Amino acid sequence: MQLSFLPLVTKDELKGAWGWLLSTMKPRPNTPSMSCVYDHKHWKIGEQYQPLCVNGIVEKHLGTLFLTSEFGDDDQIYRLSNLGEASDIARPADPIDRDVANVVREVKGFRDSLSEHLAFWVRLANEAQTHVEGQKFAGKLPHIQSRDKGPDGLFIATGQRNYVELQSVKNSIGDPRNLVGTTSFRVNGVVHRRESPKQLEEFWLTANENLGSVRLQRELSNLCHLLQIADQQQLFKVALQKNLCFYNAVVVADEIHAREEVFEGYEYITTDVARRIATYISSQEWKALAEKTRQDVKLRMNI
């Protein structure tokens, strides 16, 4: 039986969106600033670096990248990010997955999901910007729904250096500080064991109480299989178990709230400041940008 597919993203659209991300995004700093490696993300829009904004171009590229990581497969994204080879992205012509459709129909649900997809692409682009011959890298695909269990992001690289990074993603239409950590954790590292821990508390629980360790190991196995590096899997596994991995607290929010102090308390996760990464993805108005992107995605998905 022959399956039929509906086009979502052309090869040229994907190549254009990926090229835009690579060429306009400010690279990650090489050294820590005060308490962490603070990566305040801006894009070169026009003549200067600035936050993401609604301008008819940015939301189109974000929609293209969202559809690619929602419907594309690991191999397509690996070939794009590592080799620069783009491909068409399509979905089966059958009725669309209800979980996916619901995400795109819900304003807040889509905003939450888009933040994870944006964090995923930003991390791949960070690595591609400094790519050296022989280095291979990959990241865990974003959740279908942002409330799904498991790590928000897991990234590995191998070649001249072996590297594993655990990611947590939060987004806010206001000040994101309270999503990152509680006052008690910021002051003295006290963790409240709750159903939905704050961002830095998630890291602490992973590092000290193996929170989500089974899911992490499964995702790690998938990434090693994708990169064909089975011999490195034990090395990465030990890094996660022994708290030797890198941590990346990703926040997507408005520029007005961007400051390193948002991530206060990071020192309780690991004493190595170089392994404490804070990525603040700035937008002029995150709520408006996410909604414009959602409308673009809805139109292309015909829902």
Side-chain angles (χ1 to χ4, degrees), residues 102-245:
N102 286 342
V103 165
V104 177
R105 290 185 179 120
E106 296 172 2
V107 172
K108 183 181 183 302
F110 180 81
R111 190 165 63 237
D112 292 342
S113 185
L114 179 61
S115 68
E116 289 193 18
H117 285 258
L118 184 52
F120 169 78
W121 285 106
V122 162
R123 186 60 192 92
L124 292 180
N126 273 333
E127 194 70 17
Q129 286 176 328
T130 58
H131 189 55
V132 295
E133 188 172 354
Q135 189 87 353
K136 297 190 292 186
F137 58 93
K140 181 194 84 68
L141 285 169
H143 294 127
I144 298 298
Q145 295 181 311
S146 61
R147 59 179 174 268
D148 291 345
K149 289 187 176 296
D152 293 337
L154 183 66
F155 177 91
I156 65 173
T158 184
Q160 290 192 8
R161 64 169 186 153
N162 294 307
Y163 180 95
V164 58
E165 177 181 296
L166 181 61
Q167 296 171 313
S168 175
V169 183
K170 301 294 182 184
N171 85 97
S172 177
I173 58 175
D175 192 331
R177 181 178 169 85
N178 289 335
L179 298 176
V180 176
T182 60
T183 299
S184 59
F185 186 80
R186 295 176 190 281
V187 173
N188 53 27
V190 172
V191 173
H192 297 276
R193 290 162 179 79
R194 63 187 85 204
E195 181 66 25
S196 300
K198 304 295 184 178
Q199 188 174 46
L200 295 183
E201 292 176 9
E202 288 178 14
F203 283 158
W204 190 95
L205 290 168
T206 298
N208 294 278
E209 297 186 1
N210 290 324
L211 176 70
S213 61
V214 173
R215 291 187 178 89
L216 271 174
Q217 297 303 331
R218 289 179 178 175
E219 295 293 352
L220 178 61
S221 178
N222 292 337
L223 292 178
C224 288
H225 179 75
L226 174 65
L227 297 184
Q228 299 179 321
I229 52 169
D231 56 325
Q232 298 291 345
Q233 185 169 340
Q234 187 61 28
L235 183 150
F236 291 134
K237 184 176 181 180
V238 170
L240 286 172
Q241 289 176 332
K242 303 297 184 182
N243 194 22
L244 298 174
C245 62

Side-chain angles (χ1 to χ4, degrees), residues 261-272:
E261 288 73 21
V262 166
F263 304 94
E264 186 180 14
Y266 220 148
E267 65 273 16
Y268 294 111
I269 310 302
T270 171
T271 57
D272 184 355

Side-chain angles (χ1 to χ4, degrees), residues 276-289:
R276 304 194 299 248
I277 301 159
T279 304
Y280 194 106
I281 299 176
S282 274
S283 174
Q284 284 185 0
E285 189 181 349
W286 169 235
K287 183 177 181 179
L289 177 60

Side-chain angles (χ1 to χ4, degrees), residues 6-26:
L6 298 176
L8 290 171
V9 174
T10 68
K11 177 170 60 177
D12 288 342
E13 285 175 328
L14 180 52
K15 193 169 185 178
W18 176 243
W20 166 81
L21 188 64
L22 284 181
S23 63
T24 64
M25 188 182 76
K26 184 175 285 189

